[in-house]
Amino acid sequence: MTPTVRPISADEHRAFIAGRSSASFLQTPAWAAVKSEWRAESLGWYDEGRLVGAGLVLYRQLPRVKRFLAYLPEGPVLDWAVDLGAWLAPMTTHLRSQGAFGVRMGPPVVTRRWSAAQVKEGIADEGVARLGEIAPLERSAAGARVIQQLEALGWRPQVSEGGFAAGQPQYTFVIPLVDDAGARRTDDDVLAGMNQLWRRNIRKADKAGVVVTQGRAEDLKAFHDLYAHTAERDHFTPRPLSYFETMYDALGAEDPDRITLWLAHHESDLVAATIAVRVGTHAWYSYGASSTAKREVRGSNAVQWAMIRDAMAQGAEVYDLRGITDTLDPDDPHVGLIQFKVGTGGEAVESVGEWDLPLNRVLYRGFELYLARRGG
Amino acid sequence: MSLTLTVDGERWRRHLRSVADADPGLVPVVKGNGYGFGITRLAQTATWLGVDTIAVGTYHELSAVEQAFAGDLMVLGPWRPTGPVAPESLAPGRVIHTVSRLADLLALLDRQPDARIVLERLTSMRRHGMSAEELRAAGRLLDQRPARLEGVAFHLPLAHGAHLTEVEHLVNDVVAAELPTRTLWISHLTPPELARLRASYADYDVRPRVGTALWLGDPGALRVTATVLDVHEVERGDVFGYRGRTVPKAGHILVVSGGTSHGIGLEAPIGDHSFKARAAAVARGGLDAAGFVRSPFTVDGKPRLFAEPPHMQVSMLFLPHGPRVPAVGEEVAVRVRHTATTFDRVDIS
């Protein structure tokens, strides 16, 4: 089968994604509105008149030149168990015609999985510094075949760290909400998978009278105040309120259940707030904030548990806590975040990561140098 | 009266033991001339080391080791439908066949459905082996034909310290092929490379095949000597040798044990690519060992000149006046390539 690629409307794109079990929210047409500083385009793969794949392309301009890096974050949405040469060639031809000097994409294909218990043991084991040094639960042949084909087709794996096109994480932590046979897990089962600290904290929040509710657009200001406070405390650069307003409106307009604001109050104080996103059967914990005061009432645990239960009630099969680093070194500052996520039970998942295809060697090389200078 | 390999047994065995202890998955390679020791002796030594598998180069070599070693016998050379087979004396379950072509895999399974098989993946050496696509096809075939797949083999070129990227590509191909095995048989990785490979593929069993670094890994334990068989004082212009050459200046003709039948003067070229190194190889007595070129024999630590090309079992050296003249019966040191030398005697203390 040799598909063709052509631009599609946002409606066609939306309908295609709605007809699939799930796709990354970074591949929804609504995401284009969030990333409004870049030109976006929806692409469709057609086979004998039938739409069989879709991708959201963000065109990121190279400084001073009217040429672009075509970026498909966590996409495109394809059946990846195909002859990738035939599927990717018409895409790159199209992107080149649009002025792309290179393509970056992140095939949403799993390569390895590890259990929470394995990750925990890895952190405890002095001889293990990285996730990859633990024998995985599963090593995916499908993932290996995607890597094999991309290498053969001249794509280059990216080690993504900040910069011009801050990469999507290659390692994520997820809680499967269905068992291996595909049957829905119960609340009790998911709770039993969590570590003792998580269970105790959820109970503690309940006893302390923490109330978790879903917010509305007008509550974004309260979320953002708490988020800015968290950013100051945890030393990261906060995004402006307008970013979340755009995201909330754009994703909400696509599907009323796509984005949810969650608020955890203790008495009249907002102690934690989060943003959840869901596309089909995949639910994400996207942004979170927590107060420095009243940590003992465990608002963060309460709001996570509410989100997990809601995801299950909405028919989600995966609750995705998003990126982790692959470090298991207990002295690494990132390890605390991993430990927080690992406490929920679930699995660490590695995907094939992001890959680049240079279309214009000279400009691509210049782009790499530009990135290196920014990085340094 | 012979070309002798003298081994400091205690030191040699200590080295072997340390290599084996450092790597429980070690597969000693026992092939060809047995690295100078002889393959039967190495098979016995492998028994002493306690390993479960040894590797021979060809099917012809199996009969030399089958009594000396009771474990599994891997044949490194690829199985071919037209080639030699394992001797009938050998229990079929002891042999692990290396298969490097899809057609051969089919033929072998037709002939012996329960054959133990290792699939060889082609490496940058491009000697024998399957492509990534053939390996996948083999994976599909083995879905239908339940065989005793013992792993996948990589035979890497000798580029120390530079293999990891290639190996990672090759192992990814193994994962992609969905083969019902978790064993990798690998040659020529440095210990740090091996450690990193094992860390990245903790779910795989890595079995390094080691020959030179094992048997010849401690050169200080090995000494090669030849016997001085005769000494003739000569004057300038004297005629000597098979070819009736004349002596250029006064000195001594030394007749020592060790000739072409031992591999003297027929050394395999060493793998150094520089012109200087190649010139040095010739000077040490390569195939062009004609004229007065440097021989591998040393007297009092100094390399001596061949008086003429080596004979079948002895060599004639020219010793100008000046240095000490060794006596008949004395031993002189010889520098040889062990994988290309046949010793008259191997003395292991």
Side-chain angles (χ1 to χ4, degrees):
Chain A
M1 163 158 111
T2 310
T4 55
V5 168
R6 64 170 186 264
I8 55 175
S9 72
D11 282 342
E12 288 172 300
H13 190 173
R14 247 189 308 277
F16 176 79
I17 285 175
R20 293 185 52 115
S21 165
S22 78
S24 168
F25 68 91
L26 305 178
Q27 280 294 300
T28 59
W31 195 249
V34 181
K35 296 292 165 186
S36 56
E37 62 268 49
W38 295 299
R39 178 161 71 87
E41 186 180 40
S42 291
L43 285 186
W45 274 255
Y46 283 89
D47 182 52
E48 293 172 357
R50 213 163 46 87
L51 188 61
V52 289
L56 177 72
V57 187
L58 301 173
Y59 291 96
R60 304 185 160 192
Q61 195 179 338
L62 198 63
R64 295 191 297 277
V65 198
K66 215 166 161 42
R67 301 296 292 275
F68 309 87
L69 176 73
Y71 182 40
L72 296 98
E74 297 185 357
V77 182
L78 297 178
D79 173 7
W80 287 89
V82 291
D83 170 12
L84 292 182
W87 282 65
L88 296 176
M91 172 184 81
T92 51
T93 303
H94 172 81
L95 297 176
R96 193 195 300 267
S97 77
Q98 296 298 301
F101 67 85
V103 188
R104 176 169 296 177
M105 65 175 182
V109 179
V110 171
T111 44
R112 287 183 284 183
R113 297 187 300 125
W114 295 266
S115 71
Q118 286 182 304
V119 177
K120 201 180 138 200
E121 279 167 30
I123 294 171
D125 187 341
E126 276 184 23
V128 172
R130 310 217 153 260
L131 199 51
E133 294 169 16
I134 309 174
L137 276 185
E138 184 205 339
R139 196 184 281 277
S140 154
R145 284 202 281 271
V146 168
I147 290 173
Q148 202 177 46
Q149 294 188 72
L150 291 177
E151 277 173 352
L153 294 167
W155 291 75
R156 305 170 178 186
Q158 298 302 303
V159 182
S160 54
E161 272 174 299
F164 182 81
Q168 296 303 323
Q170 187 171 7
Y171 297 89
T172 52
F173 202 86
V174 303
I175 307 175
L177 302 178
V178 291
D179 64 22
D180 288 342
R184 304 208 158 277
R185 296 174 68 194
T186 61
D187 284 9
D188 284 347
D189 188 30
V190 173
L191 207 51
M194 294 185 175
N195 69 12
Q196 216 176 17
L197 185 64
W198 262 87
R199 291 200 301 268
R200 197 189 301 144
N201 285 341
I202 288 168
R203 269 201 309 273
K204 209 184 250 183
D206 194 36
K207 274 212 187 112
V210 171
V211 179
V212 180
T213 55
Q214 293 189 9
R216 299 196 303 198
E218 53 267 36
D219 298 313
L220 278 172
K221 174 76 173 70
F223 161 80
H224 192 265
D225 288 347
L226 193 60
Y227 165 78
H229 165 80
T230 308
E232 194 178 344
R233 182 188 68 217
D234 296 346
H235 310 292
F236 64 86
T237 311
R239 293 182 181 280
L241 175 60
S242 60
Y243 180 85
F244 294 99
E245 287 172 339
T246 308
M247 182 173 166
Y248 194 82
D249 290 347
L251 267 62
E254 198 165 82
D255 180 333
D257 290 332
R258 183 137 299 161
I259 182 163
T260 313
L261 178 61
W262 291 88
L263 306 163
H265 283 93
H266 180 258
E267 290 158 359
S268 59
D269 299 318
L270 183 64
V271 289
T274 55
I275 287 173
V277 177
R278 186 170 61 80
V279 181
T281 57
H282 202 117
W284 289 267
Y285 155 51
S286 189
Y287 283 94
S290 63
S291 66
T292 307
K294 291 195 173 181
R295 291 185 82 76
E296 70 284 358
V297 301
R298 295 295 164 188
S300 292
N301 301 88
V303 76
Q304 286 291 341
W305 179 229
M307 285 196 292
I308 293 167
R309 289 170 65 193
D310 183 64
M312 295 173 83
Q314 300 292 324
E317 294 176 0
V318 179
Y319 183 77
D320 193 328
L321 293 127
R322 292 205 54 86
I324 54 172
T325 56
D326 67 342
T327 178
L328 296 182
D329 177 356
D331 296 330
D332 191 296
H334 290 115
V335 88
L337 179 69
I338 299 174
Q339 278 170 320
F340 175 79
K341 293 182 178 181
V342 167
T344 63
E347 295 173 345
V349 174
E350 180 199 52
S351 72
V352 300
E354 299 203 312
W355 292 70
D356 277 16
L357 181 71
L359 298 177
N360 176 319
R361 300 259 160 211
V362 174
L363 283 177
Y364 183 82
R365 182 78 194 114
F367 164 71
E368 284 184 315
L369 287 172
Y370 167 74
L371 283 191
R373 270 206 302 277
R374 274 180 56 127
Chain B
M1 311 290 254
S2 50
L3 187 68
T4 306
L5 169 63
T6 308
V7 182
D8 177 343
E10 200 184 317
R11 179 171 169 173
W12 187 56
R13 283 186 293 270
R14 202 182 321 124
H15 162 75
L16 300 179
R17 179 60 74 197
S18 75
V19 174
D21 286 352
D23 201 338
L26 178 79
V27 180
V29 175
V30 171
K31 65 176 183 182
N33 71 339
Y35 299 84
F37 302 93
I39 60 177
T40 307
R41 188 194 306 270
L42 292 188
Q44 284 161 352
T45 311
T47 301
W48 170 79
L49 273 174
V51 297
D52 61 7
T53 308
I54 60 172
V56 297
T58 67
Y59 285 87
H60 299 293
E61 290 167 352
L62 286 169
S63 53
V65 300
E66 62 167 313
Q67 299 293 330
F69 181 80
D72 291 343
L73 305 174
M74 168 177 269
V75 183
L76 296 175
W79 185 87
R80 294 277 187 257
T82 51
V85 296
E88 280 182 15
S89 55
L90 204 54
R94 282 185 65 196
V95 181
I96 300 173
H97 304 273
T98 301
V99 178
S100 68
R101 301 188 308 173
L102 204 55
D104 293 351
L105 179 62
L106 271 169
L108 178 55
L109 289 177
D110 283 347
R111 221 174 277 189
Q112 193 192 335
D114 63 346
R116 299 175 69 187
I117 291 163
V118 163
L119 299 177
E120 180 152 13
R121 169 73 175 92
L122 190 68
T123 67
S124 60
M125 180 145 82
R126 300 202 173 272
R127 197 160 76 181
H128 312 296
M130 296 182 174
S131 66
E133 190 39 57
E134 280 179 294
L135 211 57
R136 253 187 95 180
R140 290 191 292 267
L141 176 72
L142 292 170
D143 264 354
Q144 320 293 323
R145 303 275 301 262
R148 295 173 69 185
L149 184 64
E150 303 281 347
V152 180
F154 308 139
H155 200 144
L156 295 159
L158 287 163
H160 284 282
H163 285 318
L164 216 54
T165 313
E166 176 172 5
V167 172
E168 276 165 3
H169 282 249
L170 297 171
V171 183
N172 188 65
D173 292 343
V174 175
V175 178
E178 274 184 285
L179 296 166
T181 178
R182 287 286 162 119
T183 306
L184 305 171
W185 307 79
I186 299 186
S187 61
H188 300 148
L189 282 192
T190 61
E193 285 179 321
L194 208 50
R196 274 182 59 194
L197 182 69
R198 285 186 162 131
S200 327
Y201 292 90
D203 47 337
Y204 277 77
D205 192 10
V206 178
R207 307 281 318 254
R209 301 174 305 197
V210 185
T212 305
L214 176 68
W215 307 119
L216 304 174
D218 182 3
L222 312 173
R223 195 161 56 89
V224 180
T225 51
T227 313
V228 177
L229 302 173
D230 242 318
V231 182
H232 308 291
E233 191 166 7
V234 286
E235 292 301 328
R236 182 190 158 126
D238 281 357
V239 176
F240 74 97
Y242 272 133
R243 290 166 177 78
R245 290 178 169 222
T246 49
V247 177
K249 56 184 174 180
H252 289 83
I253 295 285
L254 237 58
V255 185
V256 294
S257 55
T260 53
S261 73
H262 301 91
I264 297 292
L266 298 175
E267 289 188 55
I270 59 166
D272 199 324
H273 295 303
S274 69
F275 176 78
K276 195 177 159 192
R278 285 193 224 181
V282 171
R284 270 197 307 278
L287 294 170
D288 300 315
F292 276 27
V293 296
R294 212 151 80 141
S295 84
F297 297 90
T298 59
V299 176
D300 294 342
K302 196 163 179 263
R304 297 301 164 191
L305 299 175
F306 274 123
E308 72 167 355
H311 299 181
M312 195 156 148
Q313 293 187 301
V314 301
S315 293
M316 294 177 88
L317 310 177
F318 178 70
L319 203 60
H321 273 312
R324 185 182 71 83
V325 179
V328 170
E330 203 175 307
E331 298 288 305
V332 295
V334 197
R335 183 180 157 179
V336 298
R337 194 165 159 107
H338 288 254
T339 52
T341 306
T342 309
F343 298 103
D344 296 312
R345 279 173 45 203
V346 179
D347 287 344
I348 303 180
S349 61

